[in-house]
Amino acid sequence: MSANQQTALIVGGGIYGLTTAWALARRGYKVTVLEAGPLPNPRSSSCDEHRIIRHAYGKLEGYARLMPAAFEAWDALWKDLGTSHLAPIGATYFLRHDDNWFDPTIRALEEMTVPHRLVPLDEAARRFPMIEMDGLQSVVETGGAGMLFPARILNDLVVHLAAVGVDLISSTHVDAIDPDRGLARVGSTDYQADRLVICTGAWIDRLVPEVKGKAVPSRQAVLYYAPPPELAQAWSQAPVIVTRGVEGGLYTMPPRYGMRFKVGDHRFSRAGDPDGDRIPTADDIERVRALFAEGFSTPERYRMLEAKACYYTVTDDEAFIVKPLGTKAHFVSACSGHGFKLAPLVASKLAEAIDGALSDAALTAYCAARPLEETPA
Ligand SMILES: Cc1cc2nc3c(=O)[nH]c(=O)nc-3n(C[C@H](O)[C@H](O)[C@H](O)COP(=O)(O)OP(=O)(O)OC[C@H]3O[C@@H](n4cnc5c(N)ncnc54)[C@H](O)[C@@H]3O)c2cc1C
């Protein structure tokens, strides 16, 4: 390490901690990551088989507009990792109910020239035998979307970061921080650096009390199923499928690229403790199963392989909170169930701000996908 090399300490080794380490190391920082669990940590929000990446964003049009840059940021990461963990299989939306998703989504897709089209219902019935056609109003097929593979990404990041000299310290729970000194305390040991970054996901309010009540932990369930053999061919070519009904949206990840078929919903429970047990209750499962049964043609033919309870934080407007803390720290709460796809982009902007190339106000506004003048300090 050279005498004037800047140092950074990152608390949390989920996708935000690891991509921030990547972005800061690229800028020449000597980086240390402190993670409470293993690296990667199966209890983190980030660690799963798949996450959706998409331009279609409903009423959150500001986030739709960040997506071209988000895809570019992933490309930069793939270049450094030497491989891509994105399957660009598209996403198709089956709408049974107009909940103000269609118009803003189509507007944003057109503005960004992302390919999309309305699929005639008779064609949809032929191509998607897994879908319940009764009550369907419209079907929208979109490009610029697909599946990211988080477990592979996190593993590959850990390997890459170690190779470029990032110090990865697992099983190390940070008990307290001093953001004015760039300090993280673990028991009686102090870790200190020029810059401190807190990326502790659903546990963010423990170290950053100002987000308490604003970024609220939310317990969410996902179900993994084995689809029936008569639908294997259709599922093997399927895009990400989202069904939107009166009760809310359900997303499904097809069983492709060596991953299992997964179903989850986008209704926030806004309940639970991320340190609590992760054993799914009958209610956790029923919430998701009921939406699946509404949108799919033969739900009884699917065998459940696993039900999983996991956590993320939720804000009222679903915007991320990325802000300075004291004089030497920043924190990241990229939440509300849509943070994974934006991680390399947000991390790169954060590194830019830490390096003094972007103002903190501009960083906060960018990550909240809002114009600077409309962003509260
Ligand atoms: C079921 C589900 C589905 C989702 N679907 C999508 C999707 O389709 N597309 C999308 O873009 N996003 C999606 N998301 C959201 C996305 O996964 C999250 O926004 C993202 O993973 C958050 O990453 P993070 O690094 O902030 O938090 P985490 O991954 O939770 O990482 C935080 C880490 O900090 C560690 N930590 C906490 N406290 C301390 C401490 N005191 N000391 C040391 N370490 C600590 C934790 O152990 C953890 O490893 C989904 C999330 C879930 C749960």
Side-chain angles (χ1 to χ4, degrees):
M1 183 183 155
S2 67
N4 52 6
Q5 188 180 22
Q6 289 280 299
T7 56
L9 191 56
I10 295 173
V11 184
I15 192 62
Y16 275 89
L18 296 181
T19 50
T20 303
W22 165 71
L24 284 169
R26 286 178 115 209
R27 285 180 169 265
Y29 280 71
K30 173 72 190 139
V31 183
T32 300
V33 177
L34 300 176
E35 162 58 45
L39 275 164
N41 186 352
R43 285 174 72 88
S44 67
S45 299
S46 305
C47 204
D48 197 359
E49 292 184 25
H50 9 49
R51 291 284 180 257
I52 304 171
I53 183 162
R54 58 189 154 93
H55 286 81
Y57 239 112
K59 63 184 175 6
L60 300 181
E61 285 177 78
Y63 281 103
R65 292 194 188 95
L66 295 186
M67 287 313 300
F71 274 89
E72 280 172 26
W74 282 110
D75 284 341
L77 180 63
W78 306 145
K79 209 166 161 207
D80 283 2
L81 297 182
T83 188
S84 163
H85 298 297
L86 191 164
I89 58 174
T92 302
Y93 297 80
F94 295 83
L95 312 178
R96 303 175 174 276
H97 168 67
D98 183 7
D99 58 355
N100 197 22
W101 177 90
F102 186 86
D103 289 342
T105 299
I106 300 299
R107 191 163 56 228
L109 293 177
E110 277 170 5
E111 184 188 310
M112 293 182 292
T113 64
V114 174
H116 61 281
R117 80 175 181 112
L118 271 174
V119 182
L121 292 185
D122 57 341
E123 179 191 326
R126 259 194 328 275
R127 283 177 51 205
F128 299 101
M130 66 286 267
I131 295 292
E132 172 58 56
M133 295 303 293
D134 254 12
L136 210 56
Q137 291 181 354
S138 49
V139 178
V140 185
E141 187 167 57
T142 65
M147 294 193 284
L148 290 161
F149 302 120
R152 293 177 186 168
I153 293 168
L154 297 170
N155 277 342
D156 223 352
L157 262 167
V158 166
V159 171
H160 171 74
L161 293 174
V164 298
V166 172
D167 200 5
L168 299 166
I169 305 181
S170 63
S171 305
T172 301
H173 183 274
V174 170
D175 303 310
I177 56 168
D178 182 340
D180 292 323
R181 292 168 63 208
L183 183 145
R185 178 155 297 156
V186 178
S188 55
T189 305
D190 286 348
Y191 292 83
Q192 199 162 8
D194 299 314
R195 308 294 318 185
L196 176 67
V197 189
I198 311 301
C199 302
T200 50
W203 297 265
I204 189 82
D205 62 3
R206 316 276 163 93
L207 295 177
V208 185
E210 76 166 82
V211 300
K212 209 171 187 65
K214 290 184 189 152
V216 179
S218 186
R219 180 181 167 104
Q220 306 291 136
V222 292
L223 311 180
Y224 297 86
Y225 284 115
E230 66 272 17
L231 291 175
Q233 170 68 14
W235 274 119
S236 73
Q237 295 166 11
V240 170
I241 287 182
V242 179
T243 57
R244 299 184 69 86
V246 181
E247 296 299 325
L250 181 93
Y251 59 86
T252 64
M253 310 299 259
R256 300 180 62 179
Y257 298 86
M259 297 298 160
R260 293 178 296 170
F261 172 63
K262 185 175 79 183
V263 181
D265 71 337
H266 197 67
R267 295 168 304 170
F268 307 132
S269 77
R270 287 191 170 86
D273 173 0
D275 279 330
D277 77 61
R278 299 290 178 104
I279 303 160
T281 62
D283 279 355
D284 288 333
I285 295 171
E286 183 52 25
R287 274 168 65 90
V288 180
R289 199 210 56 78
L291 282 184
F292 181 54
E294 183 195 37
F296 287 79
S297 55
T298 51
E300 73 289 351
R301 296 277 301 136
Y302 291 70
R303 285 260 182 248
M304 198 192 292
L305 303 172
E306 185 184 354
K308 212 161 115 176
C310 24
Y311 281 87
Y312 47 66
T313 50
V314 175
T315 52
D316 282 347
D317 58 2
E318 300 181 42
F320 302 167
I321 313 175
V322 182
K323 287 175 71 174
L325 195 62
T327 53
K328 291 192 167 185
H330 284 81
F331 71 90
V332 178
S333 179
C335 45
S336 304
H338 66 106
F340 201 93
K341 68 177 82 58
L342 286 145
L345 176 64
V346 166
S348 300
K349 288 287 168 190
L350 174 59
E352 221 178 300
I354 288 171
D355 224 9
L358 181 73
S359 75
D360 283 331
L363 170 73
T364 299
Y366 188 90
C367 299
R370 280 200 208 97
L372 183 53
E373 58 281 8
E374 289 172 22
T375 308

